[in-house]
Amino acid sequence: MSRSFVPKVVSANDLRAGHVVYFAASGDWVRDIAEAEVLTDEAEAQLRLLSAMGHPTVAVGVYLVDVTQEPQGPVPVALREQFRARGPSIRPTKEAAAKEAAPKESANV
Amino acid sequence: MYEYSDFDEAFVRNRVAQFRDQVARRLDGSLTEEEFRPLRLMNGLYLQLHAYMLRVAIPYGTLSSHQMRALADVADRFDRGYGHFTTRQNIQFNWIKLTDTPDILERLADDGLHAIQTSGNCIRNVTTDAFAGAAADEIEDPRPYAELIRQWSSDHAEFQFLPRKFKIAITGSPEDRAAIRAHDVGLQLIRRGAETGFRVLVGGGLGRTPMLAPELRDFLPKADLLPYLEAILAAYNLIGRRDNKYKARIKITVFETGIEPFRDLVEQEFARIRPQFTGADQALLAEITPHFALPDLVAKDPAAFAAARTTDPAFAAWAKQSVTDHKRPDHAVVTISVKTPGEEPGDVSARQMRAVADLADLHGYGELRISHMQNIVLPHVARADLPALHAALRKVGLAAANVGLISDMIACPGMDYCALATARSIPLAQEIAQHFETLGLVETIGPLPLKISGCINACGHHHLGAIGILGLDRAGAENYQITLGGAEGPEAAIGEKMGPGFAYDAVVPAIERLVRAYLALRLSADESFLAALHRLGREPFRAALYDEAQDAA
Ligand code: HEM
Ligand code: SF4
């Protein structure tokens, strides 16, 4: 593992529903970044990226995201990626958005 | 109101069927994402941070009550129960699934709505004054011209692949409630002697290079509208830059060419194109115009309105901000604030959409408008009905008396939804509104346009805010730049950057210092923030913003 390499996870959006997905070691796409496979060297990252791109009817816009490794799992470096991982920061206050708390579905394929 | 012709209906249905097929082919792998992306964008479907976003056009901001209910239906059945009205008189649904989109478009088509030309390098939804066809100060209703432009530009072969997106705004009144100087082409209906025509502006826009449109023609006879627009687009197609996305908007073309040579080119194209228009466009306009006729307004004695104003202070405060003069003195134009302090600006729930649609049927001849200030307008309400309308709005949480005040701010979706964002805008807008509400200062401050964008693209019009806030990403943290002195309307101006940006948590206190400085410095409650800024210059305001008050004293 090269010392200068910034660890990465593979991310994309679910083609059908649009939600954020991460590539797990099992080869499944998962919704929780904590379950994503963390790639710690360049060659491995490129290989996993290629294999993740082999699901064009499942995931769209596959790319590598820089992360740091924390006790709770990988945490994205970039602000935008932190928002992608967490979801919107606003709890919609309108009564309509009560549906916000919709059950978490699994994106595993 | 304008209803779809059979041609429109067939066109839209055909588009939906095509898209249903394209989605199926994307899902089974016969279309790649590269092939599919432009097709979905042509149908208003973007992929954002957490979901697909569908942008539905509300042509010239006009909706019928049944169309509003169709939007409510989509919000309920396919989204999380709300939609977001935008500054370009569109509605955006934030939680859309690709697999649902053909059904959504089908549902919208049932009520004459669509998402065509809400994306891509084409002529986008033509926007107008939300008070069009109703305001007392209007010279002529601009919407028939907007519809004429829509019909001429929809699927026009020459205009599907322009160098960049193209936005047109039209106003029919001298007040300019459509921000025409911030559009690629701005049109203003004016009178010259007995004749009505257009003043034509070209090359305005915000984004990373904000520019106010200069005047291209001081007076264009009405019958020359389409050939002249076609001449502008021909000139743009000819010399607009396709090599660099950031230099591709017509504002850059006009700026780099110079307005005089650009005008010469347009006039040259116009001379060539004009003879091709032999009157079919004018016949079409004559067909369109009656659809925009004022409804048969029922005369009612407005005495109840005056009475409620003196006896009910909450009503009086609301009426002061929300009621605008109508062409007919016994009627009024009503702006419904969808920015109750603390709520997400621009978001409207399905329940509120239905409530407003019902109120439009009850008190407003079934007509609604969406304003570029992200509010809902009932264009024709008898003054006698205003107290009942206000009471009904209170019940659904839509009676905030803050139209035009600091808490009636424009904010784009920002980092909470938008894939291009560099910082959040909605929660900041909520905090600012809530803060001034808690301080009890909103009414004291008076009209103060505050606008927030979550990145340099400036969808929140921050350059045009008396106070503008631009959210950036500075080394992995949100950082907000503040500009002062922007304005829209006849006195349009681009705000000036004050200095280093503020961290998220520092913005509300900075805005409070700024506003308190204004309150201390203004000559009277009648001197607006902008007037005080012009009188005193930026220095005292900049000092307050950066908390240098003691040094400056
Ligand atoms: C969330 C999805 C959105 C995306 C991806 C998006 C994208 C963009 C981009 C790239 C520009 C810059 C164009 C240029 O300078 O050439 C822009 C400008 C603009 N957008 Fe958006 N936008 C979004 C939402 C909105 C919303 C919600 C509004 C209204 C509140 C809006 C209204 C505008 C306006 C008024 C401008 C600036 C005027 C101009 O075109 O110069 N957009 N947008
Ligand atoms: S200004 Fe930026 S963040 Fe806001 S909607 Fe436009 S592109 Fe998105």
Side-chain angles (χ1 to χ4, degrees):
Chain A
M1 175 167 110
S2 131
R3 289 180 69 214
S4 61
F5 185 76
V6 181
K8 298 191 180 1
V9 298
V10 176
S11 185
N13 286 78
D14 181 86
L15 174 67
R16 279 146 217 275
H19 55 234
V20 176
V21 287
Y22 298 95
F23 205 46
S26 60
D28 288 337
W29 289 99
V30 294
R31 295 192 67 168
D32 187 348
I33 192 169
E35 294 168 29
E37 180 184 14
V38 181
L39 308 162
T40 50
D41 81 61
E42 179 69 41
E44 189 194 4
Q46 291 305 326
L47 269 174
R48 292 303 280 166
L49 179 64
L50 275 178
S51 102
M53 284 171 154
H55 308 223
T57 61
V58 177
V60 53
V62 181
Y63 65 107
L64 292 166
V65 173
D66 287 352
V67 295
T68 56
Q69 287 178 286
E70 308 295 338
Q72 75 274 25
V75 173
V77 174
L79 198 57
R80 176 179 190 275
E81 292 303 329
Q82 292 165 13
F83 276 91
R84 279 183 82 244
R86 270 200 309 255
S89 66
I90 34 179
R91 300 295 309 168
T93 56
K94 314 244 158 175
E95 75 281 4
K99 290 186 183 172
E100 252 287 75
K104 258 198 180 166
E105 54 199 284
S106 160
N108 291 16
V109 286
Chain B
M1 276 184 68
Y2 182 76
E3 299 280 345
Y4 268 13
S5 64
D6 294 345
F7 173 79
D8 295 329
E9 164 82 17
F11 180 85
V12 171
R13 293 286 178 194
N14 190 21
R15 255 303 185 68
V16 175
Q18 268 177 10
F19 190 57
R20 188 180 292 283
D21 179 55
Q22 289 157 352
V23 170
R25 285 191 289 139
R26 175 68 183 92
L27 293 175
D28 73 16
S30 20
L31 284 177
T32 64
E33 184 61 18
E34 289 64 42
E35 290 163 333
F36 179 67
R37 192 172 169 274
L39 301 173
R40 78 165 149 72
L41 287 174
M42 275 171 67
N43 290 285
L45 192 66
Y46 289 70
L47 182 55
Q48 292 291 3
L49 285 184
H50 317 289
Y52 289 92
M53 178 276 279
L54 181 68
R55 184 181 287 161
V56 178
I58 300 173
Y60 24 87
T62 299
L63 279 177
S64 65
S65 53
H66 65 90
Q67 288 174 322
M68 184 64 106
R69 289 189 194 99
L71 296 176
D73 239 34
V74 169
D76 261 346
R77 282 170 54 198
F78 302 104
D79 199 299
R80 296 188 174 178
Y82 61 99
H84 180 82
F85 288 107
T86 82
T87 52
R88 296 217 73 256
Q89 298 181 315
N90 294 307
I91 184 168
Q92 297 189 169
F93 291 106
N94 287 312
W95 297 100
I96 296 301
K97 293 185 166 64
L98 175 60
T99 41
D100 285 338
T101 310
D103 291 342
I104 300 174
L105 295 176
E106 196 82 59
R107 172 66 191 91
L108 291 169
D110 292 342
D111 282 292
L113 290 165
H114 64 82
I116 295 167
Q117 293 191 181
T118 59
S119 166
N121 295 335
C122 58
I123 300 180
R124 301 286 188 88
N125 187 24
V126 178
T127 51
T128 62
D129 178 354
F131 298 170
D137 64 4
E138 180 174 277
I139 290 171
E140 197 182 317
D141 188 345
R143 293 172 305 157
Y145 303 99
E147 174 57 21
L148 181 67
I149 294 170
R150 184 188 75 77
Q151 295 198 13
W152 155 81
S153 68
S154 287
D155 247 17
H156 190 304
E158 261 182 69
F159 309 145
Q160 297 307 303
F161 299 98
L162 294 168
R164 198 78 178 86
K165 56 170 101 166
F166 203 87
K167 300 177 178 178
I168 302 176
I170 314 184
T171 179
S173 104
E175 257 312 303
D176 177 18
R177 287 172 291 254
I180 57 169
R181 291 198 66 193
H183 283 75
D184 295 288
V185 165
L187 299 167
Q188 180 180 14
L189 280 153
I190 54 168
R191 284 224 177 85
R192 197 172 65 180
E195 199 188 350
T196 307
F198 292 101
R199 179 172 167 241
V200 184
L201 311 174
V202 72
L206 301 173
R208 70 183 60 228
T209 328
M211 290 189 188
L212 294 176
E215 188 176 276
L216 186 61
R217 245 304 181 109
D218 60 353
F219 189 88
L220 182 75
K222 287 197 295 194
D224 289 346
L225 179 62
L226 291 188
Y228 197 75
L229 284 177
E230 202 158 313
I232 294 173
L233 285 156
Y236 177 47
N237 254 334
L238 216 56
I239 60 170
R241 290 180 59 169
R242 291 169 193 268
D243 58 319
N244 179 341
K245 187 174 161 177
Y246 299 122
K247 302 205 178 227
R249 291 291 288 269
I250 196 173
K251 63 188 172 188
I252 308 287
T253 314
V254 171
F255 181 76
E256 288 186 345
T257 314
I259 184 75
E260 304 293 333
F262 187 77
R263 180 181 297 126
D264 292 345
L265 184 57
V266 170
E267 293 295 339
Q268 201 179 310
E269 289 295 320
F270 180 61
R272 180 177 67 80
I273 292 167
R274 184 66 187 92
Q276 298 165 16
F277 282 76
T278 52
D281 58 324
Q282 293 309 298
L284 183 59
L285 179 65
E287 235 173 79
I288 291 170
T289 305
H291 291 284
F292 292 93
L294 205 59
D296 285 325
L297 302 180
V298 180
K300 279 194 189 173
D301 178 2
F305 170 62
R309 261 185 128 160
T310 50
T311 56
D312 179 351
F315 175 75
W318 174 81
K320 183 173 172 219
Q321 302 310 136
S322 279
V323 174
T324 308
D325 287 346
H326 194 276
K327 286 178 198 234
R328 266 267 302 262
D330 64 339
H331 277 63
V333 182
V334 174
T335 305
I336 299 170
S337 166
V338 297
K339 312 216 192 121
T340 303
E343 307 260 322
E344 295 83 352
D347 279 10
V348 180
S349 73
R351 185 174 144 254
Q352 289 173 326
M353 289 181 208
R354 291 200 181 92
V356 170
D358 292 348
L359 289 172
D361 283 339
L362 202 59
H363 300 295
Y365 307 88
E367 284 197 33
L368 296 144
R369 306 286 171 72
I370 304 306
S371 79
H372 84 286
M373 292 291 300
Q374 301 179 288
N375 286 322
I376 300 175
V377 172
L378 297 180
H380 320 290
V381 181
R383 285 182 183 259
D385 290 358
L386 291 171
L389 174 65
H390 177 247
L393 288 170
R394 281 177 89 151
K395 285 198 192 131
V396 286
L398 287 174
N402 67 345
V403 170
L405 303 181
I406 191 168
S407 51
D408 179 20
M409 62 189 87
I410 290 185
C412 77
M415 187 74 101
D416 290 295
Y417 299 104
C418 179
L420 303 175
T422 41
R424 284 172 290 169
S425 30
I426 292 175
L428 188 58
Q430 290 171 292
E431 282 185 34
I432 294 171
Q434 193 81 72
H435 186 70
F436 283 98
E437 186 71 12
T438 309
L439 292 175
L441 283 177
V442 174
E443 219 189 318
T444 313
I445 298 164
L448 209 181
L450 191 154
K451 303 178 201 271
I452 307 179
S453 304
C455 83
I456 192 74
N457 286 321
C459 302
H461 285 183
H462 68 273
H463 298 110
L464 303 183
I467 301 176
I469 302 180
L470 165 62
L472 297 170
D473 178 344
R474 228 350 127 62
E478 288 162 305
N479 190 273
Y480 293 85
Q481 258 178 22
I482 295 181
T483 50
L484 296 186
E488 48 184 276
E491 309 294 324
I494 305 269
E496 192 190 345
K497 193 171 117 186
M498 285 298 110
F502 294 84
Y504 185 91
D505 290 333
V507 176
V508 171
I511 301 290
E512 183 181 343
R513 287 196 298 275
L514 180 66
V515 168
R516 288 200 186 275
Y518 155 65
L519 291 177
L521 290 165
R522 70 182 179 185
L523 296 173
S524 76
D526 291 334
E527 189 179 43
S528 71
F529 182 87
L530 277 179
L533 182 67
H534 291 151
R535 179 172 57 84
L536 294 161
R538 56 178 257 171
E539 199 38 42
F541 297 95
R542 197 199 58 77
L545 202 52
Y546 291 99
D547 206 10
E548 293 165 4
Q550 286 94 331
D551 318 356

